[in-house]
Amino acid sequence: MFTFSLLLAAFATRCAFAAPNLVKRLTDTQVLQFALNLEYLESTFYSRGLSQFNETDFENAGFDSSVRERFVQISEHEAIHVKLLQSVLGSDAPEPCNYTFPVTDPVSFVTISFALESAGESAYLGALSVLQNKTTVTTAGTILAVEARQASYVSSSILNSTAWNGPFDTPLSTSAVFSLASQFIDACPSTNPSLIVTPLPILSLSPTNVTVNDTVSVSVSTKQDFSPSNITIVDDTFIAPTTDGSGPFYLAFFHGSQVSFAPLNADNSTTIPDGLAGVVYTALVSSNATAPSPDTTLSGLYVLNIPVPPSADNSSN
């Protein structure tokens, strides 16, 4: 059985998931290269999924007849984003990687679509604090807005949930986004530029569909190599101080501009805290005293989509 003391012994590097401080060393070119890698992933996901399922498949899965056509439009958006970033980067543009998506039916396709659109929005939001060139900021902002609209459409019109999470959304660093995207990447061309990220253990929660006050079991992959083959990783974090691995441990929940914590029990379970709604990112951490930092973050991200009641008060997000 996995123990979290093994995790601490195995990994010396940590990653800050809020966007700002540690990623300021990135150049605009490096940020756009990372963005293009994400757009490649999204574009491939949609083109592959739409070739796999026709309109009848979506209808048989319980979706409206218009849903597949909307995804065709989203797919076209992502393809245009790819072409734009390729044009801006020119000879500095990376090539697409090889991807595997756990899509077995239209329902799983929609679920992964929402996760990708939400992560894409948070990725561009985090990038805005790093980019220096005003024209590049505007370009990223225009894509950010579309990613947000697409996530809202999937959430509200297809999943029958709310179109927003609250008054604020959550910016993510490159390492945070990579911890989500890398699960779909098999290998990349060896000639691609290095990614300025830290590979982190994969966090899993069970059950997957949860709401506040639910109890979940927490597990973290002990696999040593978290990066796909042929991706050159350049660590963008500090080295954590030595720890004896004795705990305690917590799940940190990133929602809007806030972070909430839930202590991990001896059986590796915890309870989803009150006050969370919409898209919430969570990671395993070793302290609840301050906001998660490179010294305290122990895993990659896991995405939760927590139902938002009509009367929910999100004013504190």
Side-chain angles (χ1 to χ4, degrees):
M1 179 178 177
F2 173 76
T3 62
F4 288 99
S5 60
L6 291 178
L7 175 68
L8 284 179
F11 303 103
T13 56
R14 305 293 184 260
C15 173
F17 285 91
N21 53 358
L22 295 181
V23 293
K24 287 185 177 178
R25 288 172 291 179
L26 293 176
T27 66
D28 282 14
T29 295
Q30 290 169 329
V31 173
L32 293 181
Q33 287 170 336
F34 187 83
L36 179 53
N37 275 292
L38 293 181
E39 296 294 348
Y40 279 143
L41 188 152
E42 288 183 304
S43 183
T44 302
F45 168 77
Y46 285 114
S47 62
R48 190 178 297 175
L50 290 170
S51 67
Q52 188 175 353
F53 306 115
N54 58 30
E55 184 175 313
T56 301
D57 293 326
F58 276 88
E59 291 178 356
N60 289 341
F63 297 113
D64 185 82
S65 59
S66 66
V67 166
R68 188 183 183 279
E69 185 57 35
R70 293 301 188 196
F71 277 120
V72 170
Q73 294 171 348
I74 292 175
S75 179
E76 292 170 349
H77 295 166
E78 304 300 352
I80 292 171
H81 294 167
V82 166
K83 291 180 180 179
L84 172 63
L85 292 174
Q86 285 176 326
S87 175
V88 171
L89 287 167
S91 61
D92 290 323
E95 294 297 319
C97 301
N98 296 325
Y99 311 100
T100 297
F101 303 102
V103 174
T104 57
D105 52 34
V107 174
S108 58
F109 174 83
V110 170
T111 300
I112 295 176
S113 166
F114 180 64
L116 290 179
E117 294 298 333
S118 299
E121 174 192 354
S122 289
Y124 279 103
L125 189 58
L128 294 182
S129 68
V130 182
L131 293 169
Q132 300 296 314
N133 183 278
K134 291 183 178 180
T135 300
T136 306
V137 170
T138 300
T139 299
T142 59
I143 298 176
L144 161 62
V146 173
E147 299 285 349
R149 289 175 185 267
Q150 291 173 172
S152 294
Y153 166 73
V154 176
S155 178
S156 60
S157 296
I158 302 179
L159 297 177
N160 296 317
S161 185
T162 184
W164 54 80
N165 307 315
F168 303 103
D169 272 314
T170 306
L172 294 178
S173 70
T174 53
S175 291
V177 177
F178 182 76
S179 74
L180 297 170
S182 63
Q183 300 177 50
F184 305 118
I185 304 174
D186 295 326
C188 295
S190 58
T191 55
N192 273 5
S194 299
L195 294 180
I196 313 301
V197 297
T198 297
L200 290 162
I202 296 172
L203 177 68
S204 298
L205 271 62
S206 179
T208 55
N209 295 321
V210 297
T211 188
V212 295
N213 298 318
D214 283 353
T215 298
V216 295
S217 295
V218 180
S219 62
V220 179
S221 170
T222 57
K223 180 182 175 184
Q224 291 288 335
D225 180 14
F226 302 104
S227 60
S229 61
N230 290 340
I231 285 188
T232 303
I233 299 296
V234 179
D235 190 350
D236 72 339
T237 69
F238 301 115
I239 301 299
T242 303
T243 176
D244 61 8
S246 59
F249 301 100
Y250 307 86
L251 281 188
F253 297 87
F254 302 83
H255 52 113
S257 58
Q258 295 189 349
V259 182
S260 300
F261 297 91
L264 209 64
N265 301 318
D267 62 353
N268 296 341
S269 69
T270 192
T271 301
I272 306 295
D274 285 323
L276 304 180
V279 175
V280 177
Y281 301 102
T282 185
L284 183 71
V285 298
S286 60
S287 173
N288 66 347
T290 60
S293 71
D295 294 349
T296 62
T297 303
L298 307 175
S299 79
L301 289 182
Y302 186 88
V303 184
L304 296 171
N305 187 18
I306 297 178
V308 182
S311 59
D313 179 9
N314 290 323
S315 60
S316 62
N317 280 9

